[in-house]
Amino acid sequence: MMKKLLSIIICISPWTSLISDNHPKKRLFDREEIAAKILGREDRKYGDHSGNRVLCRFYNQGSIGDQSSSFSGVYPLGSGHSYIWEFSPVIAASVLDTSGNRKRIVSDGLRGLVDSSPEGTPWSFEPLAGYANPNQENLAMSDNSSTWPSTWPNKDEDWDGEWNGQYGKYVRADQESYFVMDDYYNSEYEFWPDLNDVPESSTESPDDHRRGLGINLEVRGYQWNHPAAEDIIIVTYWITNIGSSTLDSVVFGMYGDADVGGPSSFSDDDAWFDTENDMVYQWDHDNWSTSYGGFRPAYFGWSFLESPGNPHDGIDNDGDGMIDESQFDGIDNDGDWDPERDDIGADGLAEFHINYTGPDEDGTEGNGIPDLGEPNFEITDNDESDQIGLTSFYSAPYPSVYPSNDEVMWGQLTPGVFQVPQQNVDQTFLYGSGYISLQPGEKKKFAIAMVYGENMADILRNTSTMQNIYDNDYSFAKPPLKPTMTAVPGDNKVTLYWNSFSEKSMDPIYGNDFEGYRVYRSTDPGFIDSYTITDAYGNITFKEPIAIFDLQNGLRGPHPIGYNGIQFDMGEDTGLKYIYVDSNNVVNGQTYYYALTAYDKGYDLDFFENGFS
């Protein structure tokens, strides 16, 4: 189906405030109180991602899934078919304890196989206070402002009442989640990550001082209902070393227990890994489940969309043609920041955003240089990272992966270890990416995707498509940019002029697929009299243009893909023009309405053979 954009007649619907009656713009606590309260298990909350065909519960101490409940990796949404027991991110590093002994510390957020003290205290991630409304049980979700705090601990007051988005004060996905956690309470070993926060006596409680690896994780979940991403949830982890010591052997990973087939048919699963696509996946051995009355399970997996790289080794680690690129070097490594398109200021808001209030007060909007917070630069340009990717995979029958044994986990996460799994069993697995180093205060990002597919080919296709979308900063196939048109009346004629701005369009999926312009005329503002083209069922479907100007590239006539029995007219290779004189039955004194649309090539498989995409 073609993608069209009207440039002259613009309708703006009334916008709704992001602050509901249940979320009054008042402070529940101030920033000093937030800073004083580090974190606590009493701040544990959950949120349900349901923004597309995948339904999954997330917990703000790190756990993903709800142990095969009706909120635990259900696919497709509404089926009740659960695919997940529990998953959790894992951060591991090798350190020296206070006695100089080498210890491997592994922190996770599991609720099931909990690593805990002899007294039963979890040695796990815990949430930081202040990132959700403290008066309810849900973590912050973008589509429910009553879950937001009255003020964000890591933002200035002008963010109060706004969504705390990675890309600015707006929601990039159809549904997002956000929380922050760290491993403050992981006191299993005598290691003090912050030498400025150590006990002065042996009688002090370990809970009074920072333990673990000194790791802070800022976590965001993303879902889109777009067909290209409707089977996927993306989770990003910004990992910061908030200790005083350098961590020089960090591995990021994920422990997982998927139950493909549901609660009564999970003991016959297969699992494998794919280093080329940086993914691990699992499927039912005989492609049939007796759960839920019987059904054919889908494939389930996780893929690395981004992992940190080494921006100092002179090697193109991710094979993208860039060497030692970084999201923190102040350089637009891939050169995709466009001053006409991306110079929208540090708040990430432009005129096309509903909550745009004008140019940035700091002068970053329209200053001609890329600034942090603008699209396609530094942390908002996902492709500017020299990624390591998948470096280890260990799978074995439950419970062969032991989250409670840090030494065993460390061995299973070691880069280069790829355990060929036993098949047709109740699979658990552990995958990782490493090693990376983290200097004190340094921050790095991992992005992973929970992905489903009807079969092997489908899950690979979904993963590849999502990687492309991610590398283009979560952008999807979309129409060309709006051209600007001017109409000049004359004697029984109207002259139209427009610019070539639409030709700068870069589709995130299909690249530079601009094709042409279409001109429309009407005697009413709704263009009712130009709706003349009907589909196979007799329904009025398309407007009829008075002129088409398209590229001379051989793509002409009806588009190969139909819509309800009709094909979009791609033009006749007339060539592009930027002026059109309408003198066809133009009557002096009559009011006319004109519209100009830019359209692209659309999509068809043989376009690749013809070199169009």
Side-chain angles (χ1 to χ4, degrees), residues 514-557:
F514 171 85
E515 178 61 19
Y517 301 102
R518 296 163 70 91
V519 181
Y520 300 87
R521 184 185 79 180
S522 179
T523 57
D524 70 89
F527 287 79
I528 296 174
D529 57 5
S530 66
Y531 270 105
T532 62
I533 301 174
T534 60
D535 64 12
Y537 304 101
N539 300 313
I540 298 176
T541 305
F542 289 152
K543 302 181 186 75
E544 182 177 357
I546 60 174
I548 301 176
F549 303 104
D550 63 314
L551 291 170
Q552 293 178 321
N553 57 7
L555 181 58
R556 54 191 297 178

Side-chain angles (χ1 to χ4, degrees), residues 414-434:
T414 301
V417 172
F418 287 91
Q419 169 71 38
V420 178
Q422 179 182 344
Q423 306 291 26
N424 199 16
V425 295
D426 178 12
Q427 298 280 1
T428 56
F429 58 73
L430 183 69
Y431 65 88
S433 179

Side-chain angles (χ1 to χ4, degrees), residues 200-220:
E200 297 180 359
S201 69
S202 59
T203 59
E204 291 189 60
S205 168
D207 284 357
D208 294 336
H209 301 277
R210 178 169 296 284
R211 303 297 293 278
L213 292 167
I215 290 292
N216 174 285
L217 290 91
E218 191 173 358
V219 186
R220 298 180 185 273

Side-chain angles (χ1 to χ4, degrees), residues 559-599:
H559 193 276
I561 295 179
Y563 178 73
N564 284 347
I566 55 177
Q567 274 76 34
F568 193 89
D569 184 0
M570 301 301 292
E572 294 299 329
D573 279 3
T574 59
L576 300 180
K577 294 183 180 180
Y578 308 96
I579 182 173
Y580 175 71
V581 179
D582 180 21
S583 58
N584 183 22
N585 296 321
V586 175
V587 179
N588 290 344
Q590 171 70 51
T591 299
Y592 295 94
Y593 297 86
Y594 290 89
L596 177 72
T597 67
Y599 66 97

Side-chain angles (χ1 to χ4, degrees), residues 284-425:
D284 189 270
H285 183 78
D286 61 3
N287 292 316
W288 185 254
S289 169
T290 58
S291 300
Y292 315 113
F295 75 107
R296 181 178 179 178
Y299 278 57
F300 168 84
W302 292 90
S303 70
F304 271 117
L305 298 176
E306 179 180 349
S307 58
N310 187 342
H312 310 293
D313 61 1
I315 300 173
D316 183 5
N317 294 296
D318 53 7
D320 63 356
M322 294 184 286
I323 297 176
D324 290 349
E325 67 270 26
S326 170
Q327 291 183 296
F328 302 97
D329 59 6
I331 299 171
D332 179 24
N333 301 114
D334 54 3
D336 61 349
W337 185 88
D338 187 320
E340 294 188 39
R341 182 189 62 212
D342 300 327
D343 197 3
I344 61 176
D347 66 0
L349 294 178
E351 293 180 352
F352 51 81
H353 290 114
I354 196 170
N355 53 336
Y356 179 74
T357 58
D360 295 45
E361 293 182 0
D362 59 8
T364 53
E365 185 168 343
N367 63 1
I369 60 173
D371 295 288
L372 192 65
E374 292 181 335
N376 294 310
F377 182 66
E378 294 289 79
I379 63 172
T380 61
D381 193 341
N382 292 328
D383 202 29
E384 292 193 20
S385 177
D386 200 8
Q387 303 175 40
I388 297 174
L390 181 69
T391 60
S392 64
F393 175 76
Y394 187 95
S395 179
Y398 176 89
S400 299
V401 181
Y402 297 98
S404 61
N405 191 317
D406 288 14
E407 283 294 326
V408 172
M409 289 276 280
W410 176 261
Q412 294 167 341
L413 282 167
T414 301
V417 172
F418 287 91
Q419 169 71 38
V420 178
Q422 179 182 344
Q423 306 291 26
N424 199 16
V425 295

